[in-house]
Amino acid sequence: MDLSTVVARFDETLATGEFADVDASANGLQVGPDEMSVETVAFAVDAAEATIEAAVEAGADLLVTHHGLVWGGLDRVTGRDFSRIEPLIREDVALYVSHLPLDGHQELGNAAGLADHLGLVDRDPFGSLGPVHIGQAGSFESPKTTDEVRDALDELDGNEETQVFDFGPDEISDVAIVTGSGVDWLDEAIESGADALVTGEGKQKVYHEAREAGITVFLAGHYATETFGVRSLAERARKMGLEAVYISHPTGL
C-alpha cells in the first residue's frame, strides 16, 4: 500500500486536522518521503532510539507512535534528534505520529481503551481542550471499591504500581479519564460530579485539590495509560491488509 494512502486513512480516522490548533505535536507524517510502499507497520508509544531500532529489526516500512520527534518546530537535526532521525532515513522507515488525536478518539483512543479495560458504560467525551476532547467519562454498572479499581489499573502493561489519592466516596460509580498527564482536568472532573479521575501522572498540588474536593485520583503511569491507542490502530492497520507489529517498551513512569 502507498504511504500516502496509509497516512490519509489514519488522518481521516483520527480527525487529525481538528487538533492542529491545540496540539504542540506535529501530528501526521513526521519523517518520510512523499511516496513509498508500505507492507509492515510497527506501533509503539514513544519514538525513541530503542523503539526505532526495534522497528528496523522487525522489517517495518513505517513506525507509528503516540509521542513523536517534533514538538512545536525542529530547528536543527543534531544530537539526540540526529540519533533518532538518522536510522529512520538510513533504513527507509517512515514515522507517523498521533498525539492528542489518539488520546481523544472515542473508539480507538487511549482514554476509550482504558475505559474498556475498566468496564465503564454510558460513556461520553471528557477533557475539553478548545473545540476537542482528549478523554472519556463513564460509569461502572455496579459501584467499585478503590481497591478494585486500583487492582484493575495495576494490570496495565508497564504499570509498576498505581498511586492513589483516596479522598472520594467509599464506592466509586462515575469515573473521568484523561490519560498521560491529565491532572489539569481535575476541576472538570469535579464539576462533572465524578467520584474519581484516572490519569497517568500527577503534580504536587493535586493531592490538596483532590482532598479538598473529596474526589479520588488514580495515577496509573503515563506510559501504561497510553498503550491502548497505538494497539487499537495496529488492529485497524491489519484490517487494511498491512502486517502490524506492536513494540512494548515500558518506561516505568
Side-chain angles (χ1 to χ4, degrees):
M1 185 177 293
D2 291 337
L3 175 62
S4 60
T5 301
V6 177
V7 169
R9 290 192 183 181
F10 284 169
D11 282 346
E12 181 181 6
T13 297
L14 299 170
T16 300
E18 295 181 11
F19 292 80
D21 294 333
V22 298
D23 199 347
S25 172
N27 296 311
L29 187 66
Q30 285 195 357
V31 179
D34 292 333
E35 281 299 349
M36 62 179 285
S37 179
V38 175
E39 295 181 0
T40 302
V41 187
F43 293 82
V45 174
D46 303 308
E49 289 186 34
T51 54
I52 291 169
E53 290 172 2
V56 170
E57 291 175 3
D61 306 299
L62 173 65
L63 172 62
V64 175
T65 67
H66 178 52
H67 301 130
L69 301 179
V70 182
W71 302 85
L74 186 64
D75 296 325
R76 302 174 188 272
V77 182
T78 60
R80 182 185 300 113
D81 291 328
F82 180 83
S83 296
R84 292 173 173 177
I85 293 173
E86 188 272 336
L88 291 170
I89 296 174
R90 169 169 39 85
E91 301 293 341
D92 294 325
V93 179
L95 174 66
Y96 179 93
V97 174
S98 185
H99 183 229
L100 294 185
L102 201 53
D103 281 323
H105 194 282
Q106 295 299 297
E107 177 187 355
L108 303 176
N110 289 316
L114 185 49
D116 287 341
H117 176 78
L118 292 174
L120 300 181
V121 297
D122 299 328
R123 285 141 60 168
D124 292 301
F126 176 81
S128 59
L129 186 62
V132 297
H133 291 86
I134 59 172
Q136 196 169 91
S139 303
F140 291 115
E141 289 187 288
S142 299
K144 305 287 186 183
T145 66
T146 300
D147 286 344
E148 287 174 323
V149 178
R150 184 200 333 246
D151 289 346
L153 293 171
D154 282 345
E155 297 172 356
L156 298 180
D157 176 32
N159 182 12
E160 297 186 352
E161 183 179 4
T162 302
Q163 184 177 7
V164 183
F165 298 149
D166 188 8
F167 299 126
D170 292 337
E171 292 191 322
I172 296 171
S173 296
D174 301 317
V175 179
I177 300 172
V178 176
T179 61
S181 181
V183 291
D184 288 340
W185 283 268
L186 179 64
D187 284 342
E188 184 176 336
I190 294 167
E191 291 169 6
S192 74
D195 302 314
L197 172 68
V198 176
T199 187
E201 60 182 280
K203 298 178 181 178
Q204 166 72 12
K205 64 177 183 177
V206 172
Y207 171 92
H208 296 288
E209 292 173 347
R211 184 174 183 272
E212 292 161 6
I215 186 172
T216 295
V217 176
F218 295 90
L219 306 177
H222 195 130
Y223 178 94
T225 60
E226 296 198 327
T227 66
F228 295 97
V230 288
R231 286 190 286 168
S232 294
L233 207 55
E235 287 300 320
R236 185 61 60 95
R238 293 185 183 101
K239 292 179 180 178
M240 293 164 55
L242 298 167
E243 181 179 349
V245 178
Y246 173 63
I247 299 169
S248 176
H249 196 89
T251 64
L253 301 171

